Amino acid sequence: MLGLEYFSFADLWSPLFLAVMLLLTAGYFVLIGPLSDRFPGSVPVLFRHRALFVSGMFFLYLAQGGPISLLGHLMFSFHMVSMALSYLVAVPLIMMGIPEWVWRSALKVNPFRRLSFLAQPVVAALLFNGLFSLYHIPVIHDYVMLHFSIHRIYYAVLFLTSSLMWWTLINPLPERRMASGLGKIGFIFLNMVLLTPACGLIIFATQPLYATYSDPDTWALAMGYCVPGDPAALLQAFGGPTFFGWMSPKVDQQVGGIAMKFIQEFIFASMLAYVFYHWYKKENGQDDSEELPPSSGLESGSLTRA
């Protein structure tokens, strides 16, 4: 299906990356379980927050190490789905799964304190959306895709700046909140606007922009970083990326831009409705909480330690 049958289990599931993700997930459960007593103010973590963290790690693995990652090298539309899952879905889920007492301890570390200005709402929004848009300038995108080390570094920086961007919306620490309910609404609109030019460039382009998805030789070189073997053998076997797509490179590119914008709009529209609802209730004296569900604390339901 989609040409995946031509690739091995290791190509599809990236066992080494899977092992790293499993180790990180295991470390999370050790941190909130046996090691939790070492954190001041620690309390048992709710099941739903553990589920949020695991879900985030699952989506991150699927997008960066699973079949979607491989498909993202075959079709631009899947590349954009991978980007959306990585930075608009996985990051907030992982962040919401981390207990607030872990956040509070981590943010006392000097390097984090010195870089706190990067989490200022406007700065964080400009950083993430600017780097995301810069990455999708054709010449830069093709260069990054063809240089493995730069590719990994750029994706790590996108993950970090995405976390800074999401911090304004899902920060569970009352003493560190930098935006009111109305401020969060404005912040959401800012993010929705900032990503529009890049998506518009991709959607309304009159020709394929990216050589990694339209030029067979460039595609084969880029594929060499996610599939072991001689790029020449890939060319001989498949001829180029069009072998795997049922759409032309131009249409595939347009679908990718639309998918990215749709996913972003859906996520931020849902966030907007949530924030507006709680801001409205607070303004009318019905509720004094406007943040997303806290990462830990006593609530109705069972509380158990890992």
Side-chain angles (χ1 to χ4, degrees), residues 56-288:
M57 296 296 279
F58 170 76
F59 282 117
L60 184 60
Y61 164 70
L62 196 65
Q64 294 295 329
I68 291 180
S69 175
L70 178 59
L71 286 168
H73 282 76
L74 304 177
M75 300 175 65
F76 183 80
S77 51
F78 279 98
H79 162 75
M80 293 303 270
V81 170
S82 172
M83 298 293 283
L85 288 178
S86 297
Y87 307 117
L88 299 182
V89 177
V91 170
L93 288 175
I94 291 170
M95 293 177 68
M96 286 190 290
I98 298 175
E100 62 183 62
W101 40 270
V102 173
W103 283 119
R104 192 168 279 114
S105 296
L107 292 175
K108 291 179 181 178
V109 179
N110 282 335
F112 291 117
R113 295 175 64 182
R114 292 173 182 173
L115 296 175
S116 60
F117 72 95
L118 295 176
Q120 294 291 328
V122 175
V123 175
L126 290 174
L127 273 175
F128 172 70
N129 290 285
L131 286 171
F132 185 91
S133 298
L134 182 68
Y135 174 60
H136 287 95
I137 294 175
V139 64
I140 295 176
H141 177 274
D142 288 335
Y143 181 84
V144 172
M145 291 290 283
L146 291 173
H147 295 80
F148 182 74
S149 297
I150 294 175
H151 182 272
R152 290 304 184 197
I153 292 171
Y154 205 109
Y155 273 40
V157 172
L158 279 176
F159 187 91
L160 174 61
T161 55
S162 172
S163 301
L164 293 171
M165 182 269 290
W166 279 107
W167 180 252
T168 295
L169 296 174
I170 63 179
N171 174 8
L173 308 179
E175 71 274 15
R176 291 183 177 269
R177 289 188 192 129
M178 293 176 284
S180 62
L182 191 58
K184 289 180 179 179
I185 292 173
F187 180 75
I188 291 171
F189 276 114
L190 175 64
N191 279 280
M192 293 170 77
V193 168
L194 286 175
L195 201 61
T196 300
C199 291
L201 171 69
I202 294 168
I203 294 169
F204 296 107
T206 58
Q207 60 185 5
L209 298 174
Y210 305 103
T212 45
Y213 296 99
S214 58
D215 177 67
D217 292 322
T218 307
W219 168 80
L221 289 174
M223 281 291 291
Y225 291 113
C226 67
V227 177
D230 183 4
L234 287 171
L235 277 178
Q236 184 176 2
F238 306 116
T242 54
F243 177 88
F244 301 96
W246 62 89
M247 300 177 284
S248 69
K250 177 185 173 181
V251 174
D252 177 44
Q253 180 176 284
Q254 292 172 330
V255 170
I258 292 170
M260 182 67 195
K261 192 58 182 172
F262 176 81
I263 294 172
Q264 189 224 23
E265 294 287 339
F266 177 80
I267 291 172
F268 279 110
S270 301
M271 188 72 70
L272 180 65
Y274 184 93
V275 171
F276 180 81
Y277 172 74
H278 284 276
W279 171 72
Y280 178 82
K281 289 185 67 176
K282 181 182 179 182
E283 290 297 306
N284 287 273
Q286 301 175 36
D287 187 15
D288 60 357

